[in-house]
Amino acid sequence: MNITLENAEKMISAAKEKAVAINTKMNIAIVDAGANLVAFVRMDGAWLGSLDISIKKAKTARFFDMNTGSIGELSQPGGSLYNIEHSNGGLITFPGGIPIKNSNGEIIGAIGVSGSTVENDHAVAEAGISAL
Amino acid sequence: MNITLENAEKMISAAKEKAVAINTKMNIAIVDAGANLVAFVRMDGAWLGSLDISIKKAKTARFFDMNTGSIGELSQPGGSLYNIEHSNGGLITFPGGIPIKNSNGEIIGAIGVSGSTVENDHAVAEAGISAL
Amino acid sequence: MNITLENAEKMISAAKEKAVAINTKMNIAIVDAGANLVAFVRMDGAWLGSLDISIKKAKTARFFDMNTGSIGELSQPGGSLYNIEHSNGGLITFPGGIPIKNSNGEIIGAIGVSGSTVENDHAVAEAGISAL
Amino acid sequence: MNITLENAEKMISAAKEKAVAINTKMNIAIVDAGANLVAFVRMDGAWLGSLDISIKKAKTARFFDMNTGSIGELSQPGGSLYNIEHSNGGLITFPGGIPIKNSNGEIIGAIGVSGSTVENDHAVAEAGISAL
């Protein structure tokens, strides 16, 4: 139950379109159900540091089957998952990562976007999700 | 003075039973007195990201011979062990890791559980401890 | 298409039995189709260094969908895959890792065994495979 | 002087076409002049372990501005660059990585391909290069 490359490319295409529409330059990553990279693009001029962040967001979303921002709410000082980011070779727990589900509701991968505000990152990830 | 595989498997079996009883899917890891993995299981459908966290909880509990949650109380901003999670290749300091003692009170390993709320993680780890 | 924990435990049980039968002490690891750990045991007194090797063998077998020893034949000095071991955080390319297939011939994971000669390691891995 | 995403995607598209033509399933990575990933695809069913190898081949080709196979000739036992693979977080020095030049002959990135024999990997990388 893995996302296909064809669908991953559809998602990336839609995400890029959204990124252009809101005047941002994004790194966009798609992982499969095993949290392994399927497709990635870095738009011209996008932040270099967001390369790794976009991949980590996608992995994080699949690792815990939820939006990355939801984990970040629990990992704050005093929170129940404080400093969970030290696991799995580094998590990113602010918005921009979203699990991908098939038509049966099964999780088949995740998308991660980084390159602008977390609100924009999340919006571009959502645009990718909507393309499926 | 190390936990045996036989006892580690007893603990994992009891922990799995508890996990099922409270309707959770867990990653369960046991390390020995040297903080090296002895046994591990990931229940079907358990979070992928909890694999590494369960092992890190077990290691963390043995590294400092206390429950992981106790370390997390000291590692908060302003706390005496602030950001200790950066050591040892990454610690996990929220609940779910517990040292294992023999009948003489000597520490012979630790158990780490991850896959649900930290309360559930800790309860399943306790169920493992009680099996000895 | 992932191996279940129940089947992974069946395999480990059979592999342990074989290890005892040939008077060895083994580390035994099972990964799923995404190359993520599903189950692991280290028999009492087994080499500590074989812990990581058994996991790397299982991952290597799934990474390339073949027995680890087959890769080692190609990674020798002068071979076409010389020093491939530097990829993926470290591969192990001598015998002891074997892909796991379901009844349709699809690869659903891999087993890795380490703790004795590579011949014994492979034999114990085979015993695990035969249990399915 | 960096390859654009548009050109990277053209290269990947041509490389995928070649991969299909010769009946292989490839991981294909493009890095820029800074050796940072620009675009990546893993074809459905391609070896998981080739994900990292394709990226390392692209980086290696740009790190030293030559085909990866040329470095492998020097890194053999007794060779002048023996075990250079230990540097830079792991190099891959067998064929499949090729620098990308612009029309002035300046190197603007590199392509790395992995998923079959090294001859096929190199042929698919060449197909990508030819698309520019």
Side-chain angles (χ1 to χ4, degrees), chain B residues 76-127:
Chain B
Q76 301 294 320
S80 57
L81 303 183
Y82 174 56
N83 267 350
I84 191 174
E85 293 83 359
H86 287 268
S87 68
N88 295 288
L91 300 178
I92 290 295
T93 60
F94 44 81
I98 305 178
I100 305 167
K101 295 178 184 173
N102 66 12
S103 51
N104 294 328
E106 295 160 324
I107 293 181
I108 56 172
I111 183 171
V113 175
S114 179
S116 179
T117 62
V118 295
E119 290 79 14
N120 283 340
D121 291 354
H122 182 76
V124 170
E126 280 285 13

Side-chain angles (χ1 to χ4, degrees), chain A:
Chain A
M1 283 306 175
N2 267 331
I3 187 165
T4 61
L5 176 56
E6 191 185 341
N7 279 338
E9 289 182 325
K10 253 185 231 166
M11 293 181 66
I12 283 184
S13 190
K16 279 200 297 183
E17 213 170 290
K18 175 71 174 180
V20 170
I22 62 174
N23 200 25
T24 59
K25 297 164 179 175
M26 296 295 195
N27 289 261
I28 306 163
I30 311 267
V31 299
D32 64 17
N36 297 299
L37 198 63
V38 173
F40 169 84
V41 301
R42 176 157 49 92
M43 294 171 70
D44 297 341
W47 286 330
L48 260 187
S50 284
L51 193 177
D52 183 55
I53 292 175
S54 67
I55 296 174
K56 281 190 165 58
K57 280 184 183 174
K59 285 178 182 265
T60 299
R62 171 52 184 149
F63 281 156
F64 302 100
D65 295 342
M66 62 181 83
N67 289 2
T68 47
S70 302
I71 302 167
E73 291 172 17
L74 302 171
S75 67
Q76 301 296 319
S80 59
L81 304 183
Y82 174 57
N83 266 351
I84 191 174
E85 293 83 0
H86 288 267
S87 70
N88 294 288
L91 300 177
I92 292 294
T93 60
F94 45 80
I98 306 179
I100 305 167
K101 295 176 183 173
N102 65 13
S103 51
N104 294 329
E106 295 160 324
I107 293 181
I108 57 172
I111 183 171
V113 175
S114 178
S116 178
T117 63
V118 295
E119 290 78 14
N120 283 340
D121 291 354
H122 182 77
V124 170
E126 280 284 14
I129 293 286
S130 301
L132 266 206

